[in-house]
């Protein structure tokens, strides 16, 4: 028993959609895994989480300050 062109096309489309869903799910799992790894690495340095990057170099701000008159 042979399938008609429309039936084969519908099957192909359905398989492609299933593959896309599987790949999206897999990417989401991989992204979550990477986020958890990064969070674990960051949490090894608890002070770094509280560190304000903009206050990293007080010496640089002193160099840019205008001397008082």
């Amino acid at each position: 028993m042979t399938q008609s062109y429309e039936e084969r096309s519908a099957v192909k489309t359905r398989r492609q959609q299933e593959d896309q869903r599987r790949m999206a799910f897999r990417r989401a799992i991989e992204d979550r895994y990477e986020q958890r790894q990064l969070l674990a690495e960051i949490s090894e340095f608890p002070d770094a989480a509280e560190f304000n990057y903009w206050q990293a170099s007080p010496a640089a701000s002193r160099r840019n300050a205008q001397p008082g008159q």
Side-chain angles (χ1 to χ4, degrees):
M1 195 166 149
T2 60
Q3 291 180 334
S4 69
Y5 175 76
E6 290 82 18
E7 290 173 349
R8 285 182 290 187
S9 179
V11 169
K12 184 177 179 181
T13 302
R14 188 182 72 240
R15 286 183 182 161
Q16 287 175 341
Q17 290 172 343
E18 290 171 355
D19 288 345
Q20 288 174 347
R21 278 189 229 116
R22 271 195 295 273
M23 289 305 296
F25 185 71
R26 183 175 183 166
R27 281 191 298 272
I29 290 171
E30 290 172 354
D31 288 346
R32 177 68 176 145
Y33 177 75
E34 290 173 2
Q35 286 177 346
R36 290 182 67 156
Q37 279 187 317
L38 289 173
L39 185 59
E41 289 174 11
I42 290 172
S43 67
E44 291 177 10
F45 306 103
D47 295 337
E50 298 171 6
F51 186 67
N52 186 347
Y53 181 78
W54 300 109
Q55 297 174 350
S57 179
S61 63
R62 278 190 238 121
R63 281 190 301 240
N64 294 335
Q66 296 289 330
Q69 292 180 350

